[in-house]
C-alpha cells in the first residue's frame, strides 16, 4: 500500500501552489507516498464561485480511480473544493487535511469524510474577511481557517498553529522556509496515522 496524496492550492495562486501547498510534497514523499498536485489555474473570487464544482468533480475522479488510499490536502479555497468533492460527488478519501480552510465554521462534514485534520490560525485575516463575501452552492467561505470548526465531531482533529513554536499566524506562513521544516513532518505524520482503510 502506497498512499496517494493530492495537494490542492487556494484561489488567486499563479504558480500552481508550488510555493504554498506544494511545499508539503517532499514530507509526504519521504514517507513513501506518491504526491500529486491538482493545479486548477489562477482563479479569481468569481471563478471560484462558478468553477469550484468542476475542480471538485476532478478531485472525486482522482479518489475514485485510485486503487491505493488517498489523502486529500487542501489550503484555503482548496479545502472548499475538497468539501464539495465529498458533499456533492461523494468522494471518499482515506483521510483529509484542511490548512487554513476558507470555509464556514459551522459547515458539517459529509458522511464520506472519514477523518479530518484542520490546521488553523486565529490571526488569519483572509478567512475572517471571507465570512462577508457572497455565498453560493459552490462557495462556502468563512472563518474556519482562523478558529477551527464551531462544533465537535469525533472525526475531526483541530490544531491551533498559533499555540505551536514556531507560531504560524498568517494565511500561508506555514509554508515559508522558516516554518515548513517544523509543520511539514507534523502534517504528514498526523495524516498517515489517521488513514482510514
Amino acid at each position: 500500500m502506497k498512499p496517494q496524496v493530492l495537494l490542492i492550492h487556494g484561489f488567486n495562486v499563479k504558480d500552481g501552489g508550488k510555493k504554498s501547498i506544494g511545499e508539503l510534497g517532499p514530507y509526504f514523499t519521504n514517507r513513501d507516498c506518491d504526491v500529486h498536485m491538482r493545479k486548477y489555474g489562477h482563479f479569481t473570487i468569481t471563478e471560484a464561485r462558478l468553477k469550484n464544482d468542476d475542480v471538485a468533480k476532478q478531485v472525486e475522479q482522482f479518489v475514485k480511480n485510485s486503487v491505493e488510499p488517498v489523502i486529500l490536502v487542501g489550503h484555503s479555497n482548496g479545502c472548499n473544493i475538497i468539501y464539495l468533492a465529498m458533499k456533492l460527488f461523494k468522494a471518499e478519501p482515506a483521510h483529509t487535511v484542511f490548512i487554513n480552510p476558507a470555509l464556514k465554521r459551522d459547515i458539517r462534514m459529509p458522511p464520506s469524510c472519514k477523518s479530518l485534520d484542520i490546521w488553523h490560525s486565529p490571526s488569519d485575516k483572509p478567512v475572517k474577511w471571507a465570512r462577508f463575501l457572497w455565498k453560493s452552492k459552490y462557495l462556502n467561505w468563512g472563518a474556519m481557517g482562523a478558529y477551527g470548526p464551531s462544533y465537535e465531531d469525533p472525526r475531526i482533529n483541530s490544531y491551533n498553529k498559533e499555540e505551536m513554536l514556531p507560531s504560524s499566524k498568517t494565511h500561508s506562513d506555514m509554508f515559508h522556509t522558516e516554518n515548513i521544516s517544523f509543520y511539514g513532518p507534523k502534517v504528514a505524520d498526523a495524516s498517515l496515522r489517521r488513514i482510514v482503510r
Side-chain angles (χ1 to χ4, degrees):
M1 176 192 75
K2 192 165 188 176
Q4 304 295 299
V5 178
L6 183 62
L7 306 174
I8 306 165
H9 62 80
F11 95 108
N12 201 25
V13 170
K14 295 181 179 177
D15 67 353
K18 181 179 176 184
K19 292 295 182 186
S20 56
I21 195 84
E23 296 288 346
L24 289 172
Y27 297 96
F28 283 100
T29 300
N30 290 342
R31 285 153 179 81
D32 201 31
C33 298
D34 284 336
V35 177
H36 311 267
M37 290 281 293
R38 180 58 195 95
K39 300 175 186 177
Y40 58 87
H42 178 252
F43 272 19
T44 63
I45 292 174
T46 301
E47 288 170 314
R49 183 173 184 242
L50 299 175
K51 298 179 182 179
N52 272 352
D53 61 320
D54 295 333
V55 183
K57 181 61 180 171
Q58 295 165 11
V59 170
E60 181 273 335
Q61 288 297 307
F62 180 90
V63 175
K64 179 181 175 183
N65 293 333
S66 178
V67 296
E68 302 292 350
V70 174
I71 299 171
L72 297 177
V73 184
H75 174 235
S76 191
N77 184 56
C79 304
N80 188 39
I81 289 168
I82 292 170
Y83 169 77
L84 292 172
M86 294 186 294
K87 177 75 173 177
L88 298 179
F89 306 115
K90 313 299 186 229
E92 294 189 34
H95 180 62
T96 307
V97 180
F98 288 170
I99 299 169
N100 292 82
L103 282 170
K104 296 186 296 185
R105 294 189 67 211
D106 62 350
I107 201 163
R108 301 288 171 158
M109 293 302 119
S112 60
C113 178
K114 295 176 175 29
S115 65
L116 169 63
D117 290 334
I118 298 174
W119 299 79
H120 63 92
S121 306
S123 298
D124 184 346
K125 290 180 182 174
V127 295
K128 290 179 185 178
W129 297 332
R131 293 178 293 179
F132 305 111
L133 297 173
W134 70 86
K135 306 294 185 256
S136 76
K137 182 177 180 180
Y138 307 125
L139 195 62
N140 305 286
W141 283 357
M144 187 183 288
Y147 307 112
S150 62
Y151 59 92
E152 296 290 324
D153 184 325
R155 299 172 295 170
I156 298 175
N157 284 343
S158 190
Y159 302 93
N160 181 343
K161 295 183 287 151
E162 288 189 31
E163 294 177 347
M164 301 177 180
L165 290 174
S167 178
S168 170
K169 294 183 177 179
T170 69
H171 192 59
S172 302
D173 68 353
M174 171 190 208
F175 308 116
H176 294 176
T177 304
E178 65 273 16
N179 293 335
I180 192 64
S181 61
F182 174 80
Y183 288 102
K186 289 198 174 310
V187 171
D189 291 340
S191 300
L192 292 169
R193 283 194 301 268
R194 299 200 67 212
I195 288 180
V196 176
R197 291 173 176 82

